[in-house]
DNA sequence: CGTAATATTGACTCACTTCAATCAACGTGG
DNA sequence: CCACGTTGATTGAAGTGAGTCAATATTACG
């Protein structure tokens, strides 16, 4: 195996569909540069035309965000190692939301036109990218429901459960918990609540033994209880389509 | 021009990317059947594997929906003539949400494998389908924000504005308003509120002269006022990528 | 260390929900 | 053609989950 930063992309797409040797070398032949963003810097800005390259996260976390005209913020998705940041705009003429680095963020920036080309001309790669994008859509749908129809405890538990499984799928060690890379204010913007109420709700979840916390570390004493409180059913993550293939 | 029900698909995809004559005939050669659903019947059920055909709406309205374990419902999207109902599951192994007919629904059901094939093997068609799917994602993002960060008046106005523009883009006559195919209970499930509060809020919007109503007809006296109350900016609909091309 | 960012807690308010009754529209069958 | 049952819409009164405002504690970090 080679030792290119694009290996990550080969691996990621390889979990979504079966790639031939030719597919793999097509990916490895993509023009790219590596790049680092500081925490909280903008990767994509709403209203601007898409940039000439597309970022794949190598390390760190990012989020998508939209602002109300009144200035309140809604975080509409969270992303981690192995996630594409610009697939959502790959064929669109204008960015409809902002993407920001959550932590220090290392990415592989692939040329947009080359990425479009392999998405359209290499069926196995196209399929893998489709699946990736459809899973993102599925998560959006779940979030609409989360924010629209669950109370604070359920919303927060749900997001904590989702993040746990996604981190595990992304290869983070599973210590029965994880370091949540969000301030409570950011978590509030994820779940459509105020920071104050998030603080109270987290405390109540902790008192009830649903999670335990140490700074930003979220631990699950009782996964089933957390999943029950969060009304969490992993179906929508389509993890069966995110397992490594030959 | 031919006179197949698939003309609708040719037209729809033609608004999203430039199709060659060969692309058009590839679409028209797709195996399909026509089909009608009664209002409120299920088109797709959560937890089931995707069906062997994919529906494109010819006439009528449909919605995607998810249920909380407690039984409350969130409608996560609304669809009309020219929208695909199964693109969201085209490459997934399992349905993650329900799709239901909102009204009597006429569709063209295209064979799923054939649709996958042209999506992957015909770049111009693939691009058009990508754009269609990415616009759906963009709408999901907007709805997350709508439900997460706007109050009842804004949420409802926003949805009413969105529907107005989408109906116009789908070729419905623009009478400064439209027949909203939703009960207030369904509208409540769209915006994450109770039917009672939707009723009150609609009344208040009417009293303030933002909209006028006659049964289910929604009329806009003052579009700008409605857009302002709904914090509505059409950017996210990417309507520039939904105009007919040569 | 000192200073800013983040988290916690309390007291009070309010937008939306809940419960419940009434009303209107509409199809349907006798 | 009208009685009637069902579904959808409206309205009122009372309750509540989450927001707001504000003070204080805690942590991060240059």
């Amino acid at each position: 195996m080679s030792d290119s930063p694009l290996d990550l992309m080969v691996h990621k797409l390889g979990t979504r569909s079966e790639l031939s040797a030719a597919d793999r070398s097509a990916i490895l032949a993509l023009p790219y540069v590596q790049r680092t963003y500081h925490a909280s810097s903008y990767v994509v800005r709403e209203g601007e035309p898409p940039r000439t390259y597309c970022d794949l996260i190598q390390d760190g976390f990012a989020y998508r965000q939209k602002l109300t005209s009144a200035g309140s913020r809604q975080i509409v998705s969270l992303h981690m190692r192995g996630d594409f940041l610009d697939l959502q705009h790959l064929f669109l003429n204008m960015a409809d939301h902002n993407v920001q680095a959550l932590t220090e963020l290392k990415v592989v920036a692939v040329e947009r036109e080359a990425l479009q080309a392999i998405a359209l001309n290499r069926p196995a790669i196209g399929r893998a990218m489709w699946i990736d994008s459809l899973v993102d859509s599925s998560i959006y749908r779940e979030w609409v429901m989360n924010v629209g129809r669950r109370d604070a405890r359920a919303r927060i538990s749900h997001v904590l459960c989702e993040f746990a499984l996604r981190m595990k799928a992304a290869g983070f060690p599973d210590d029965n918990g994880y370091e949540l890379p969000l301030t409570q204010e950011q978590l509030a913007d994820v779940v459509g609540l105020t920071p104050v109420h998030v603080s109270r709700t987290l405390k109540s979840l902790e008192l009830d033994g649903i999670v335990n916390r140490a700074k930003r570390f979220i631990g699950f004493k009782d996964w089933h209880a957390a999943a029950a409180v969060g009304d969490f059913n992993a179906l929508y993550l389509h993890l069966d389509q995110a397992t490594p293939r030959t």
Side-chain angles (χ1 to χ4, degrees), chain A:
Chain A
M1 198 187 203
S2 69
D3 197 25
S4 152
L6 289 169
D7 284 340
L8 177 62
M9 183 165 164
V10 171
H11 176 262
K12 171 73 176 195
L13 294 180
T15 65
R16 310 238 105 136
S17 104
E18 204 155 330
L19 302 179
S20 67
D23 290 326
R24 283 193 285 270
S25 38
I27 295 172
L28 293 172
L30 287 168
Y32 74 93
V33 293
Q34 291 185 75
R35 189 180 248 287
T36 303
Y37 297 94
H38 297 301
S40 94
S41 64
Y42 276 78
V43 178
V44 174
R45 275 181 194 276
E46 183 173 352
E48 292 188 351
R51 301 160 315 139
T52 54
Y53 37 82
C54 269
D55 292 343
L56 172 68
I57 301 180
Q58 258 189 300
D59 204 33
F61 296 86
Y63 61 96
R64 298 180 196 281
Q65 165 258 96
K66 302 191 80 160
L67 297 170
T68 283
S69 65
S72 54
R73 178 177 65 170
Q74 176 70 44
I75 291 177
V76 298
S77 67
L78 295 171
H79 295 283
M80 62 188 66
R81 178 203 298 167
D83 289 348
F84 284 97
L85 286 181
D86 298 86
L87 229 45
Q88 291 295 328
H89 290 127
L90 188 58
F91 295 102
L92 297 177
N93 298 333
M94 189 78 97
D96 54 62
H97 64 279
N98 303 293
V99 180
Q100 262 181 292
L102 184 50
T103 60
E104 178 102 350
L105 187 70
K106 278 181 60 184
V107 303
V108 201
V110 180
E111 244 182 47
R112 175 177 147 98
E113 299 211 345
L115 195 61
Q116 289 185 343
I118 62 166
L120 296 177
N121 297 314
R122 298 208 141 259
I125 295 177
R127 171 186 292 266
M129 289 173 65
W130 262 104
I131 292 171
D132 205 67
S133 165
L134 292 179
V135 171
D136 279 355
S137 285
S138 176
I139 295 175
Y140 290 136
R141 286 188 288 271
E142 185 71 26
W143 282 34
V144 172
M145 174 153 99
N146 201 38
V147 160
R149 285 294 182 220
R150 297 198 184 106
D151 67 15
R153 283 168 68 88
R155 278 187 221 184
I156 292 176
S157 302
H158 189 97
V159 167
L160 296 179
C161 288
E162 176 184 312
F163 216 69
L165 291 198
R166 287 177 60 194
M167 285 190 74
K168 204 161 98 181
F172 287 87
D174 181 10
D175 306 323
N176 241 337
Y178 55 88
E179 203 64 37
L180 184 71
L182 294 170
T183 65
Q184 289 188 5
E185 188 177 9
Q186 290 162 337
L187 182 53
D189 288 337
V190 166
V191 292
L193 296 168
T194 55
V196 174
H197 201 60
V198 165
S199 174
R200 291 194 232 269
T201 307
L202 279 173
K203 189 180 180 192
S204 121
L205 289 172
E206 192 174 22
L207 285 175
D208 294 353
I210 308 295
V211 296
N212 42 335
R213 296 184 291 162
K215 296 199 342 127
R216 302 259 172 96
F217 183 88
I218 301 291
F220 295 90
K221 298 172 133 159
D222 178 354
W223 174 261
H224 283 91
V229 170
D231 187 25
F232 182 78
N233 176 340
L235 185 71
Y236 74 98
L237 292 174
H238 296 278
L239 293 173
D240 64 307
Q241 292 188 281
T243 38
R245 281 145 207 272
T246 42

